Amino acid sequence: MFRMRGRAVLDSRVQTVTTKKVDVALLGATGSVGQRYVRMLSRHPYFNLRVVVSRSSVGRRYGEAVRWMIEGRVPDEVAEMKIESINSESIKECKLVFSALPSEAALEAETRLAGEGLMVVSEASAHRMDEDVPLLIPEVNPDHLRLVELQKRRRGWEDGGAIVTTPNCTAVGLDMVLAPLLKVAPVSAIVVNTMQAVSGAGYLGVPSMSILENVIPFVKDEEEKVVRESYKILGRLEGERLVPAFLPMAVSCNRVPTLDGHMESVLVEYKDDVEVEDCVKSLATFEGEPQKLRLPTSPARPIVVRSEQDRPQPRLDRMEGTVPGMSVVVGRVRRGWGKNTVQMTLLSHNTVRGAAGGAILTAELMHAKGLF
Amino acid sequence: MFRMRGRAVLDSRVQTVTTKKVDVALLGATGSVGQRYVRMLSRHPYFNLRVVVSRSSVGRRYGEAVRWMIEGRVPDEVAEMKIESINSESIKECKLVFSALPSEAALEAETRLAGEGLMVVSEASAHRMDEDVPLLIPEVNPDHLRLVELQKRRRGWEDGGAIVTTPNCTAVGLDMVLAPLLKVAPVSAIVVNTMQAVSGAGYLGVPSMSILENVIPFVKDEEEKVVRESYKILGRLEGERLVPAFLPMAVSCNRVPTLDGHMESVLVEYKDDVEVEDCVKSLATFEGEPQKLRLPTSPARPIVVRSEQDRPQPRLDRMEGTVPGMSVVVGRVRRGWGKNTVQMTLLSHNTVRGAAGGAILTAELMHAKGLF
Amino acid sequence: MFRMRGRAVLDSRVQTVTTKKVDVALLGATGSVGQRYVRMLSRHPYFNLRVVVSRSSVGRRYGEAVRWMIEGRVPDEVAEMKIESINSESIKECKLVFSALPSEAALEAETRLAGEGLMVVSEASAHRMDEDVPLLIPEVNPDHLRLVELQKRRRGWEDGGAIVTTPNCTAVGLDMVLAPLLKVAPVSAIVVNTMQAVSGAGYLGVPSMSILENVIPFVKDEEEKVVRESYKILGRLEGERLVPAFLPMAVSCNRVPTLDGHMESVLVEYKDDVEVEDCVKSLATFEGEPQKLRLPTSPARPIVVRSEQDRPQPRLDRMEGTVPGMSVVVGRVRRGWGKNTVQMTLLSHNTVRGAAGGAILTAELMHAKGLF
Amino acid sequence: MFRMRGRAVLDSRVQTVTTKKVDVALLGATGSVGQRYVRMLSRHPYFNLRVVVSRSSVGRRYGEAVRWMIEGRVPDEVAEMKIESINSESIKECKLVFSALPSEAALEAETRLAGEGLMVVSEASAHRMDEDVPLLIPEVNPDHLRLVELQKRRRGWEDGGAIVTTPNCTAVGLDMVLAPLLKVAPVSAIVVNTMQAVSGAGYLGVPSMSILENVIPFVKDEEEKVVRESYKILGRLEGERLVPAFLPMAVSCNRVPTLDGHMESVLVEYKDDVEVEDCVKSLATFEGEPQKLRLPTSPARPIVVRSEQDRPQPRLDRMEGTVPGMSVVVGRVRRGWGKNTVQMTLLSHNTVRGAAGGAILTAELMHAKGLF
């Protein structure tokens, strides 16, 4: 009846895991992304959410303090947890920290916690561009996790702590789609136009007076981030040096009155002619380590290609996939102006695949690789 | 207080016009575009709205039959008019017909009326691509009106009737902006992504269940129309033959939950490097015959360039201009991926400049040129 | 993770049912309510959806013909079914017919099918007020099913067919809440103001041009229906005669830009003073035969009372309950102007509890009582 | 063309005023209500906006500092003004202060300025319920201005300063409608349900994540304010004592996704039977001192009664009236449950009639009565 496949798959996997769960702290637990973490970590086979941290409500019960904005209710076991401060000693009893902090707060706190021996998986932008910090999409650049060794050595973090980051929510959907498209043939230019949901800016980020019956053709710093981060994600490791992928790329970001799900209209110009069918095939068959390792939060298909003429649509398709919200949905794959250009529309759930879900999948990959 | 400049300018012009007004019939008078015509023709200095035609409510008072959806109220003089059928004899007592008919209905009716000696200005797509029919944006290709002579001769319309068409509402804003951009330097490719208002599909066109909290990445036939019509509009007359402007152009059309105002994100790739400032200047200083002739419905500036980082926005800017809704607003003019690409966002009011207002301005130009 | 409880409960019940399933036909299967039926009948323990009927797409595969507007995808087994016409012989091979037909179509078809021996459970308004037809909310007036005997006798339907109806979607939520409130003490007047979702009018019912950034203070025939049907539902059977409950009741219906979930602001004036706590208690502990019989689609609590100051909210709470969408959510229970008035806000999912879910629960109750 | 009548009427009145204009300071000038003041005071015949005060942007040009959210552009003369602080000496060079401050800020500042000899017209709630402060709707209780004398005497304000307040934006529309309804016959109870626009909470008040595709059945403190203030406004002066009008009144406040315009569904129970026509007539013919004095911001009809079955609607009707936004629109006047109850829907523009416009009209009335 109600979206069962994701959980069904998950449950069957649960039974194969017998090792002790990893204790986890969650920074920024009451925000809209924090809520997605709480939901997705509930009954997780590897991770046990033990500490919830939020600046504004230290000492209160999570269930009371949170303004729950997503489907369903606060999981019972989390509702009863007391909210801790960022300086709480109990964070140190965890091995893994998920950080959904604002960027300024993240800069100092994440470095401190990593230095104290914790593995920090962060979706804040603070450390994304540090040259010794992986910026990870598990299906796209899992090998970049090797930067963790460099990081520990350079920063003298001997207790085993490190920072791993996940990309900007708009870059995630784009780069998951570019990865298989770049395999088809050499690309000469990329043009992206986004139509982004309000949840991307956080609960207070977009006042209703701004966005009701309106479009705002601007998202602060977003266009620069998408280009810069894509270069890093799609780049390759040469030894311990990450060589960015330089691709002519032009991005226009717009905010539209949707709640969740970033739509992106993408044109890819190839250096030579390509077949649209080859692009569709490369997208539809794309998979990566998470699928091979059957990680709990990995969708059966990272990219779902739709053939209807009017899909994807944010409200109808953002929860697509065997793990709802973890698949990028691509539709309207078609010719651009000539035989060397291809156009399409993609949809990616910005607070699931683009935030909490992407970070959890990253941590699952790290777990599978024995990083903690 | 309330948007006065447009009317103030208009009123001062009225006094210079002393000739008798031209009687006008309006086909499709009760629809959402029809309502814009009724509003804009009220107290018009050249035209006298004499016959209102609508399929569904023949014989009823206009004020009763119409479901008025735009600001203000039905003008008193029109409210009292009886709605006529498309076959009414009284249409023939007019010289000029504005047609806001659906395309299938337009095909036959417009040809018949033109054959009977009436000048038909139509925004239906039926005749737009006929090679002897002008497809007009008054500021962009006023010389294409010369096709009217060819048309009359070919079709044997000796009583002086003819058909002149106005473009698809998405093409209007785009081509008004491309015209000055093409003057800066030779262009090698154009990428357009639209975010279109629901009124573009007519009153019943977009069910709320489709579009509330959603984006639909598809507008039927729109992408093809925009490309095809732009080629014609931006083409040049060689003798009596219109040579289309072939430009590599890729268009993605999306419907968003706004009421009026089509947003378009545009990337222009030039063959050589250009300065962004040169593009801004060409846009901001663009004007055409309507401005030179000081036509009543012509805005002082066909293109208004905004410098704020988050404009234009549909709800705030669609009524921009000295004649509200007749100016295209352009913002965020900036570099794309290199020195030969420029990006920007444009906004055009789809039922004013993109429909009723564009057609009225076209008829004013024809009037000034003595075509009826 | 994603709304599991409803299904979990349902699954455990499934195993206790060993009898053969009842074949079911669904009339109006492609509409927005039809889709809810398809979803809720998928893997149903009593009913086997065998025939899908829709006027517009006879002969096509359901999965192709339907414009699926709700969460998830078309269940595989239904996607492959061929759509049948209302006159198809295969309907007669079913025992039970769910009718989500428009009212005019329902009038004739439902009578014919009942006459041919089928049990028809209809949410159309056509037969609701017939004096020998039950108008049922399973928790509120299950005894009204006794009218079925009168109906068969009167109409000479000896093959066992009959018509049972479910109420208008706005009346459902209201009367589920009034039932326990009427038990607290005698009531002297009721004032209701609704804020109704667009899905209540069907897929094409509310154009986006009407409702975006707007409220429409009118829903055709709705206020009359709510009063009239409430009188019948809350009435009592005296022998075979239904005596309506006459209560002074004033209803104002409004359409607001929400997708699903009818909100109703209710004031109840009692003849004497009451305690708010008594009303809360009566609401929160309310249950009926479906709960006692543990019917598959019955929620653990028909009414969920919330204590937060700003709930219920349609988007957050419409899927409340152990069977999502089957519980009415009540909040802000508080004093009105004096000790004899109580105010509250209720939310009821209009296409689940107010349509498909309510009808399925009704059929489950009929099944439990051996009516087919 | 575009909403001309209001200004046209205003212009003709301007010419009859020959006295020197009153210098005015505006507190809270950059907020959404502040913007309405700026718009409505532009070219005002009595008042000259001389000082704009805002906490956040002292020293900057108004045109730069303001995020202009309403139709049109910042009037040129105001765009160039420097924003002053609340402690600026230049405020004292004005005679009249309009205060659109938040309530806490207003409490102290307004008292101080009145003590320094300025006439303060405030829409903050801080002083509304002070027993020596008028709470004014110019058409409803103009005589309450007599409280100003009491206030000055009591507080020892000999320089002529005083505070006059305007009501909560929801109370304004309600009490303008109740005033004529109370004249028809004695009333026994009133039930109100509101559907309020987001601008009522200020620019940042309602996050889009809260209200998109949703209704919030709660507006903080609003229900209490509406009842309390209505009692005062509809009360009568006995000597210098204001005797509140005690009416059983129950209010439910809801926030809906509209930008401007508060809708209110109202039921009035009379002690005896009334004719609906008498209520309509009393509403439609209602007028007060502003109309008799032909004050510049007074609409020709304070209440406009509509006869269509689906009006008023916020988006279509909020700018109703000869001075746009200053008329309350009433529709669907009809029977409730019996001959002694009447129901209707009203719409009042919350930032025009319910805020800036109401305050300006109040000041015009005070001016006409020689209060400064």
Side-chain angles (χ1 to χ4, degrees):
Chain A
M1 196 151 79
F2 295 97
R3 296 193 211 120
M4 302 292 304
R5 280 185 300 163
R7 172 54 71 187
V9 170
L10 199 47
D11 285 347
S12 70
R13 290 168 184 176
V14 172
Q15 294 153 5
T16 69
V17 176
T18 52
T19 53
K20 196 170 165 299
K21 291 192 184 179
V22 176
D23 282 333
V24 167
L26 172 58
L27 314 185
T30 54
S32 61
V33 168
Q35 295 175 26
R36 290 276 170 209
Y37 275 102
V38 166
R39 166 67 55 81
M40 296 187 82
L41 289 173
S42 177
R43 306 196 300 165
H44 192 280
Y46 299 175
F47 304 133
N48 173 44
L49 180 55
R50 182 165 162 187
V51 181
V52 286
V53 174
S54 175
R55 198 175 49 178
S56 54
S57 315
V58 175
R60 294 179 63 194
R61 282 180 55 244
Y62 183 84
E64 283 169 10
V66 74
R67 177 191 285 267
W68 194 254
M69 297 294 295
I70 62 176
E71 326 77 67
R73 295 213 179 186
V74 180
D76 292 340
E77 70 279 14
V78 182
E80 294 308 314
M81 291 170 67
K82 278 261 182 320
I83 293 178
E84 312 257 358
S85 99
I86 187 79
N87 298 313
S88 163
E89 287 298 307
S90 45
I91 299 175
K92 297 179 193 165
E93 294 163 19
C94 300
K95 270 195 185 162
L96 174 63
V97 176
F98 287 112
S99 166
L101 293 178
S103 223
E104 322 77 63
L107 191 61
E108 189 276 334
E110 295 177 359
T111 305
R112 179 172 59 76
L113 291 167
E116 290 171 354
L118 283 90
M119 190 59 75
V120 178
V121 175
S122 170
E123 61 186 59
S125 65
H127 296 285
R128 280 181 197 153
M129 298 308 293
D130 293 0
E131 64 179 356
D132 57 355
V133 171
L135 178 58
L136 216 76
I137 301 176
E139 284 90 347
V140 174
N141 61 341
D143 56 310
H144 291 195
L145 279 176
R146 277 165 35 207
L147 287 175
V148 166
E149 285 315 302
L150 171 68
Q151 186 189 140
K152 287 181 181 175
R153 204 174 60 238
R154 258 206 202 168
R155 307 200 184 198
W157 288 344
E158 287 151 22
D159 287 345
I163 297 171
V164 172
T165 59
T166 59
N168 168 279
C169 53
T170 303
V172 169
L174 177 63
D175 294 340
M176 283 183 66
V177 164
L178 289 181
L181 291 175
L182 287 166
K183 288 180 189 165
V184 175
V187 164
S188 56
I190 295 159
V191 183
V192 180
N193 190 81
T194 74
M195 293 164 280
Q196 303 182 217
V198 296
S199 63
Y203 177 61
L204 294 172
V206 182
S208 55
M209 282 193 69
S210 295
I211 201 68
L212 276 176
E213 206 261 293
N214 206 12
V215 172
I216 302 172
F218 180 70
V219 179
K220 195 168 159 39
D221 297 333
E222 191 87 349
E223 295 165 359
E224 296 80 358
K225 281 183 192 169
V226 171
V227 173
R228 191 169 62 207
E229 297 184 13
S230 295
Y231 287 177
K232 179 168 180 178
I233 293 162
L234 300 171
R236 67 180 194 285
L237 266 186
E238 296 193 347
E240 289 190 324
R241 203 171 67 86
L242 190 60
V243 183
F246 287 120
L247 293 162
M249 189 184 289
V251 182
S252 272
C253 291
N254 300 279
R255 188 77 70 190
V256 296
T258 56
L259 287 159
D260 287 313
H262 287 355
M263 294 274 277
E264 307 181 32
S265 188
V266 180
L267 177 135
V268 176
E269 185 187 51
Y270 286 97
K271 288 181 177 158
D272 294 301
D273 292 356
V274 294
E275 294 300 320
V276 170
E277 293 68 34
D278 291 343
C279 294
V280 169
K281 195 174 163 190
S282 188
L283 289 164
T285 61
F286 177 65
E287 58 173 35
E289 289 202 35
Q291 283 71 38
K292 284 168 199 145
L293 295 167
R294 297 181 55 82
L295 297 177
T297 303
S298 73
R301 297 249 141 262
I303 297 174
V304 172
V305 180
R306 302 282 298 242
S307 58
E308 300 92 330
Q309 65 184 7
D310 61 354
R311 303 298 271 265
Q313 296 180 18
R315 177 156 47 80
L316 300 180
D317 300 319
R318 60 195 167 206
M319 278 302 192
E320 179 67 82
T322 55
V323 180
M326 287 299 289
S327 290
V328 176
V329 188
V330 175
R332 303 202 70 219
V333 190
R334 64 197 194 281
R335 283 248 171 271
W337 57 68
K339 293 193 171 172
N340 67 332
T341 59
V342 177
Q343 288 179 282
M344 69 205 62
T345 299
L346 72 86
L347 170 70
S348 169
H349 196 301
N350 53 301
T351 65
V352 180
R353 171 54 89 159
I360 292 171
L361 186 60
T362 297
E364 290 169 2
L365 180 66
M366 293 162 66
H367 183 263
K369 295 193 168 222
L371 267 89
F372 51 85
Chain B
M1 197 151 80
F2 296 98
R3 299 194 208 119
M4 301 293 303
R5 280 185 300 163
R7 171 53 69 188
V9 170
L10 200 47
D11 285 348
S12 70
R13 289 169 185 174
V14 171
Q15 294 154 4
T16 67
V17 176
T18 51
T19 53
K20 196 169 164 297
K21 290 191 186 182
V22 176
D23 283 332
V24 167
L26 172 59
L27 314 184
T30 55
S32 61
V33 168
Q35 295 175 27
R36 291 276 171 208
Y37 274 103
V38 167
R39 166 66 55 81
M40 295 188 82
L41 289 172
S42 177
R43 306 197 299 168
H44 192 281
Y46 300 175
F47 304 132
N48 173 44
L49 180 56
R50 182 165 161 187
V51 180
V52 286
V53 174
S54 174
R55 197 176 48 178
S56 55
S57 314
V58 175
R60 294 179 63 197
R61 282 180 54 244
Y62 183 85
E64 282 169 12
V66 73
R67 177 190 285 265
W68 194 254
M69 296 294 295
I70 62 176
E71 326 76 65
R73 297 214 176 184
V74 181
D76 291 341
E77 71 278 15
V78 182
E80 293 309 316
M81 290 170 68
K82 277 261 182 320
I83 292 177
E84 312 256 357
S85 101
I86 186 79
N87 299 313
S88 164
E89 286 298 306
S90 46
I91 299 175
K92 297 180 193 165
E93 293 163 20
C94 301
K95 269 195 186 164
L96 174 64
V97 175
F98 287 112
S99 166
L101 292 178
S103 224
E104 322 77 64
L107 191 61
E108 190 274 335
E110 295 177 358
T111 306
R112 179 172 59 78
L113 291 168
E116 290 172 353
L118 284 89
M119 191 59 75
V120 178
V121 176
S122 170
E123 62 186 58
S125 65
H127 296 284
R128 281 182 196 152
M129 298 308 294
D130 293 1
E131 64 178 357
D132 58 354
V133 170
L135 179 57
L136 216 77
I137 301 177
E139 283 90 345
V140 174
N141 60 342
D143 56 311
H144 292 194
L145 279 176
R146 278 164 34 206
L147 288 173
V148 166
E149 285 315 302
L150 170 67
Q151 185 188 141
K152 288 182 180 173
R153 202 174 61 238
R154 260 205 202 169
R155 308 199 184 199
W157 289 345
E158 287 152 20
D159 287 345
I163 297 172
V164 172
T165 60
T166 60
N168 168 280
C169 53
T170 303
V172 169
L174 178 62
D175 294 339
M176 283 183 66
V177 163
L178 289 181
L181 290 175
L182 286 166
K183 287 180 190 165
V184 175
V187 164
S188 55
I190 295 160
V191 183
V192 180
N193 190 82
T194 72
M195 293 164 282
Q196 302 181 219
V198 297
S199 63
Y203 176 62
L204 295 172
V206 183
S208 54
M209 283 194 70
S210 294
I211 201 68
L212 275 176
E213 206 261 292
N214 206 11
V215 172
I216 302 171
F218 181 70
V219 179
K220 196 168 158 38
D221 298 332
E222 191 87 349
E223 295 165 359
E224 297 80 358
K225 280 184 193 169
V226 170
V227 173
R228 189 170 63 209
E229 297 184 13
S230 294
Y231 288 177
K232 179 167 180 177
I233 293 161
L234 300 171
R236 68 179 193 287
L237 267 187
E238 296 192 348
E240 288 190 327
R241 202 172 67 87
L242 189 60
V243 182
F246 287 119
L247 293 163
M249 190 184 289
V251 182
S252 272
C253 290
N254 299 279
R255 189 77 69 189
V256 295
T258 56
L259 287 159
D260 287 313
H262 287 356
M263 294 274 278
E264 307 181 32
S265 187
V266 179
L267 177 135
V268 175
E269 186 187 52
Y270 286 97
K271 289 180 177 161
D272 294 300
D273 293 354
V274 293
E275 295 299 321
V276 171
E277 293 67 34
D278 291 344
C279 294
V280 170
K281 194 174 164 190
S282 188
L283 290 163
T285 60
F286 178 65
E287 59 172 37
E289 288 201 39
Q291 283 72 39
K292 283 169 200 143
L293 293 167
R294 297 180 57 82
L295 297 176
T297 303
S298 72
R301 298 248 140 264
I303 296 174
V304 172
V305 180
R306 301 283 297 241
S307 57
E308 300 91 331
Q309 65 184 7
D310 61 354
R311 304 297 272 264
Q313 296 180 17
R315 176 157 46 80
L316 300 181
D317 299 319
R318 61 195 166 207
M319 278 302 192
E320 178 69 82
T322 53
V323 179
M326 287 299 289
S327 291
V328 176
V329 188
V330 175
R332 302 202 69 220
V333 189
R334 64 198 193 280
R335 283 246 170 271
W337 58 65
K339 293 194 171 172
N340 68 332
T341 58
V342 176
Q343 287 178 283
M344 70 204 64
T345 299
L346 72 86
L347 171 70
S348 168
H349 196 301
N350 54 301
T351 64
V352 179
R353 171 54 89 158
I360 292 171
L361 186 61
T362 298
E364 289 169 2
L365 179 67
M366 293 162 66
H367 183 264
K369 294 193 169 223
L371 267 90
F372 51 84
Chain C
M1 198 150 80
F2 296 98
R3 297 193 210 119
M4 301 293 303
R5 281 185 299 165
R7 171 53 69 188
V9 170
L10 199 46
D11 285 348
S12 70
R13 289 169 184 175
V14 172
Q15 295 154 5
T16 67
V17 175
T18 52
T19 52
K20 196 171 163 302
K21 290 191 185 181
V22 177
D23 283 333
V24 167
L26 172 59
L27 315 185
T30 55
S32 61
V33 168
Q35 295 176 25
R36 291 276 170 209
Y37 275 103
V38 167
R39 167 66 56 81
M40 297 188 81
L41 289 172
S42 177
R43 308 197 297 167
H44 192 280
Y46 300 175
F47 305 132
N48 173 43
L49 179 55
R50 183 167 161 184
V51 181
V52 287
V53 174
S54 175
R55 198 176 47 178
S56 54
S57 314
V58 175
R60 294 179 64 194
R61 283 181 53 242
Y62 184 84
E64 284 169 10
V66 73
R67 178 190 285 267
W68 194 254
M69 297 294 296
I70 63 177
E71 326 76 69
R73 295 213 178 184
V74 181
D76 292 339
E77 71 278 14
V78 183
E80 294 309 315
M81 291 170 69
K82 278 259 182 319
I83 293 177
E84 312 256 359
S85 99
I86 187 79
N87 298 314
S88 164
E89 285 299 307
S90 46
I91 298 175
K92 296 180 193 163
E93 295 162 19
C94 300
K95 270 195 185 164
L96 175 63
V97 176
F98 288 112
S99 166
L101 292 178
S103 224
E104 322 76 63
L107 191 61
E108 190 275 335
E110 295 177 359
T111 305
R112 179 172 58 78
L113 291 168
E116 289 171 354
L118 284 89
M119 190 59 75
V120 178
V121 176
S122 170
E123 61 186 59
S125 66
H127 296 285
R128 280 181 196 152
M129 298 308 295
D130 292 1
E131 65 178 357
D132 58 355
V133 171
L135 179 57
L136 215 76
I137 301 176
E139 284 90 345
V140 173
N141 61 340
D143 56 310
H144 291 195
L145 280 177
R146 278 164 35 206
L147 288 175
V148 165
E149 285 315 303
L150 171 67
Q151 186 188 142
K152 287 180 181 175
R153 203 172 62 237
R154 259 205 201 169
R155 307 199 185 198
W157 289 345
E158 287 151 21
D159 287 345
I163 297 171
V164 172
T165 60
T166 60
N168 167 280
C169 52
T170 303
V172 170
L174 178 63
D175 294 339
M176 283 183 65
V177 163
L178 288 181
L181 291 175
L182 286 165
K183 288 179 190 166
V184 175
V187 163
S188 56
I190 295 159
V191 183
V192 180
N193 189 82
T194 74
M195 293 165 280
Q196 302 182 218
V198 296
S199 63
Y203 177 62
L204 295 172
V206 183
S208 54
M209 282 194 69
S210 294
I211 200 69
L212 276 176
E213 206 260 293
N214 206 12
V215 172
I216 302 172
F218 180 70
V219 179
K220 195 168 158 41
D221 298 332
E222 191 87 349
E223 294 165 359
E224 297 77 359
K225 281 183 191 169
V226 171
V227 172
R228 189 169 65 208
E229 298 183 13
S230 295
Y231 287 177
K232 179 168 181 178
I233 293 162
L234 300 172
R236 67 179 194 287
L237 268 186
E238 296 192 347
E240 289 189 323
R241 202 173 67 87
L242 190 60
V243 182
F246 287 119
L247 292 161
M249 189 183 291
V251 182
S252 272
C253 291
N254 300 279
R255 190 76 70 188
V256 295
T258 56
L259 286 159
D260 288 312
H262 287 354
M263 294 274 278
E264 306 182 31
S265 187
V266 180
L267 177 136
V268 175
E269 185 187 52
Y270 286 97
K271 289 181 176 159
D272 294 300
D273 293 354
V274 292
E275 295 299 320
V276 171
E277 293 67 35
D278 291 343
C279 294
V280 170
K281 195 174 164 189
S282 188
L283 290 163
T285 59
F286 177 66
E287 59 173 37
E289 289 201 38
Q291 283 71 38
K292 282 166 200 147
L293 295 166
R294 295 181 57 81
L295 297 177
T297 303
S298 73
R301 297 248 141 264
I303 296 174
V304 172
V305 180
R306 301 283 298 240
S307 57
E308 300 92 330
Q309 65 184 7
D310 61 355
R311 302 298 272 264
Q313 296 180 17
R315 176 156 48 80
L316 300 182
D317 300 319
R318 59 195 168 206
M319 277 301 191
E320 180 66 83
T322 54
V323 179
M326 286 299 290
S327 290
V328 176
V329 188
V330 175
R332 303 203 69 219
V333 189
R334 64 197 193 282
R335 284 248 171 272
W337 58 66
K339 294 193 170 173
N340 68 331
T341 58
V342 177
Q343 288 178 282
M344 71 204 63
T345 299
L346 72 86
L347 171 70
S348 168
H349 196 302
N350 54 301
T351 65
V352 179
R353 172 55 90 158
I360 292 171
L361 186 60
T362 296
E364 289 170 1
L365 179 67
M366 292 163 66
H367 183 264
K369 295 194 169 221
L371 267 90
F372 53 85
Chain D
M1 199 149 77
F2 296 97
R3 299 190 208 120
M4 302 292 303
R5 279 185 301 163
R7 170 54 70 188
V9 170
L10 199 46
D11 285 347
S12 71
R13 289 169 184 176
V14 171
Q15 294 155 4
T16 67
V17 176
T18 51
T19 52
K20 196 169 163 301
K21 289 191 185 181
V22 176
D23 282 333
V24 167
L26 172 59
L27 314 184
T30 55
S32 61
V33 168
Q35 295 176 27
R36 289 277 170 209
Y37 274 103
V38 167
R39 167 67 56 80
M40 297 188 80
L41 289 172
S42 176
R43 306 198 297 169
H44 191 282
Y46 300 176
F47 305 132
N48 173 45
L49 180 56
R50 181 165 163 186
V51 181
V52 287
V53 174
S54 175
R55 197 175 48 176
S56 55
S57 313
V58 175
R60 294 179 64 195
R61 282 181 53 243
Y62 183 84
E64 283 169 10
V66 73
R67 177 190 285 267
W68 194 255
M69 296 294 296
I70 62 175
E71 326 77 66
R73 296 213 178 185
V74 181
D76 292 338
E77 71 278 14
V78 183
E80 294 308 315
M81 290 170 70
K82 277 260 182 319
I83 292 177
E84 312 255 358
S85 99
I86 186 81
N87 298 312
S88 163
E89 286 298 307
S90 45
I91 300 174
K92 296 182 194 165
E93 294 164 19
C94 301
K95 269 195 186 164
L96 174 63
V97 175
F98 286 112
S99 167
L101 294 178
S103 224
E104 323 77 64
L107 191 62
E108 190 274 335
E110 295 177 357
T111 305
R112 179 172 59 77
L113 290 168
E116 290 172 352
L118 282 89
M119 190 58 75
V120 177
V121 175
S122 170
E123 61 186 59
S125 65
H127 296 284
R128 280 181 196 153
M129 298 307 295
D130 293 359
E131 64 177 358
D132 58 355
V133 170
L135 179 57
L136 215 77
I137 301 176
E139 283 90 346
V140 174
N141 60 342
D143 56 310
H144 291 196
L145 279 176
R146 276 164 36 206
L147 287 175
V148 166
E149 284 315 302
L150 171 66
Q151 185 188 141
K152 288 181 182 175
R153 202 173 62 239
R154 259 205 202 169
R155 308 199 185 199
W157 289 343
E158 287 153 19
D159 286 346
I163 298 171
V164 172
T165 60
T166 60
N168 168 280
C169 53
T170 303
V172 169
L174 178 63
D175 295 339
M176 283 183 66
V177 163
L178 289 181
L181 290 175
L182 286 166
K183 287 180 190 165
V184 174
V187 163
S188 56
I190 295 159
V191 183
V192 180
N193 189 82
T194 73
M195 293 164 282
Q196 302 181 218
V198 297
S199 62
Y203 176 62
L204 295 171
V206 183
S208 55
M209 283 194 68
S210 295
I211 201 68
L212 276 175
E213 206 261 291
N214 206 12
V215 172
I216 302 172
F218 181 69
V219 179
K220 196 168 159 40
D221 298 333
E222 191 87 349
E223 294 165 359
E224 297 79 357
K225 281 183 192 171
V226 170
V227 173
R228 189 170 63 208
E229 297 183 13
S230 296
Y231 287 178
K232 179 168 179 177
I233 294 161
L234 300 171
R236 68 180 192 286
L237 267 185
E238 295 192 348
E240 288 190 325
R241 202 171 68 87
L242 190 59
V243 182
F246 287 119
L247 293 162
M249 189 184 290
V251 182
S252 272
C253 290
N254 300 278
R255 189 78 69 189
V256 295
T258 56
L259 286 159
D260 288 311
H262 287 355
M263 294 274 278
E264 306 182 31
S265 188
V266 180
L267 176 135
V268 176
E269 185 187 51
Y270 286 97
K271 288 181 176 159
D272 294 301
D273 292 356
V274 292
E275 295 300 322
V276 171
E277 293 67 35
D278 291 343
C279 294
V280 170
K281 194 174 165 191
S282 188
L283 289 163
T285 60
F286 177 65
E287 58 172 37
E289 288 201 38
Q291 284 71 39
K292 281 168 201 145
L293 294 167
R294 297 179 58 81
L295 297 177
T297 303
S298 73
R301 296 249 142 263
I303 297 173
V304 172
V305 180
R306 301 282 298 241
S307 57
E308 300 92 331
Q309 66 184 7
D310 60 355
R311 302 298 272 264
Q313 296 180 18
R315 177 156 47 80
L316 299 181
D317 300 320
R318 60 195 168 207
M319 278 301 192
E320 179 68 81
T322 54
V323 179
M326 287 297 291
S327 290
V328 176
V329 188
V330 175
R332 303 203 67 219
V333 189
R334 64 197 193 281
R335 283 248 171 271
W337 57 65
K339 294 194 169 171
N340 68 331
T341 58
V342 176
Q343 288 179 284
M344 70 204 64
T345 299
L346 72 86
L347 171 70
S348 169
H349 196 302
N350 54 302
T351 64
V352 179
R353 171 55 88 160
I360 292 171
L361 186 60
T362 298
E364 289 169 1
L365 180 66
M366 292 162 68
H367 183 265
K369 292 192 169 223
L371 266 89
F372 52 86

